[in-house]
Amino acid sequence: PLHRVGAWCLSSLVEGRYSTSTSSSNDSGGGSSGSSGGGGTSSTRKHPPPEEIDVLKLLPTLRRLLHMEDAEVLTFTCWTLSHLCDGPSYHIAAVIYSDGTPNQSQSRRKMSPANGLVPRLVELLLHPSPKVAKPALRTIGNIVCADCTDQQQPQDANGNA
């Protein structure tokens, strides 16, 4: 039960921050997960600036949640990853390559797609529940369809640091 609440919280915190498909729309219908029931529409919900999400600190937790058996935990975790991969290219790179180690210098040594979260997302495409398979597919789709034109800048900054 606590894992479900935690996974839901992470998904809710990231949802809508980077969405480009309806960024100029003020319609209140169309969130991927249920409405938050806070009395306002999703367009009036206040989020901290996107820069405040430290994806490298989130990844170890998301990795652990992504390997649980509970379908609801998997669903919310996949939606969180989908929302993150709808954001800046360095979030996508972190999901693809990061081994989940919070220490960045250690993480650079082990950066490989085999260590990232994509292999687990591919496994979840075959999950018996479509509530898990759909956000896993959406995450992979966000990775594949991302605008890669600005990916070189964060990689250069990491390589030179």
Side-chain angles (χ1 to χ4, degrees):
L2 189 56
H3 290 113
R4 287 181 185 178
V5 172
W8 174 82
C9 285
L10 288 173
S11 179
S12 294
L13 286 171
V14 178
E15 180 183 14
R17 293 178 129 209
Y18 306 108
S19 179
T20 56
S21 59
T22 58
S23 60
S24 63
S25 172
N26 287 333
D27 297 341
S28 60
S32 59
S33 54
S35 109
S36 61
T41 64
S42 61
S43 62
T44 61
R45 196 167 161 193
K46 301 290 182 196
H47 293 290
E51 298 83 46
E52 292 185 21
I53 291 182
D54 188 348
V55 69
L56 293 176
K57 287 184 180 176
L58 278 180
L59 284 177
T61 300
L62 293 172
R63 177 180 297 280
R64 282 191 301 273
L65 293 172
L66 204 58
H67 284 87
M68 295 192 159
E69 298 296 321
D70 186 297
E72 284 189 53
V73 170
L74 291 172
T75 298
F76 288 125
T77 304
C78 287
W79 278 122
T80 302
L81 290 167
S82 173
H83 300 317
L84 285 172
C85 289
D86 205 15
S89 59
Y90 65 89
H91 285 185
I92 296 168
V95 170
I96 293 172
Y97 295 108
S98 178
D99 65 349
T101 306
N103 183 349
Q104 289 181 345
S105 62
Q106 224 176 9
S107 193
R108 282 192 196 127
R109 274 186 298 183
K110 300 178 184 177
M111 288 186 83
S112 161
N115 294 334
L117 297 178
V118 175
R120 178 62 177 153
L121 290 167
V122 171
E123 289 173 9
L124 292 175
L125 293 175
L126 299 174
H127 195 277
S129 171
K131 290 182 177 184
V132 174
K134 180 180 177 180
L137 179 60
R138 182 65 169 259
T139 304
I140 293 169
N142 285 347
I143 291 168
V144 171
C145 296
D147 181 15
C148 297
T149 57
D150 63 337
Q151 272 189 348
Q152 191 61 37
Q153 293 163 341
Q155 287 175 355
D156 287 345
N158 287 337
N160 293 331

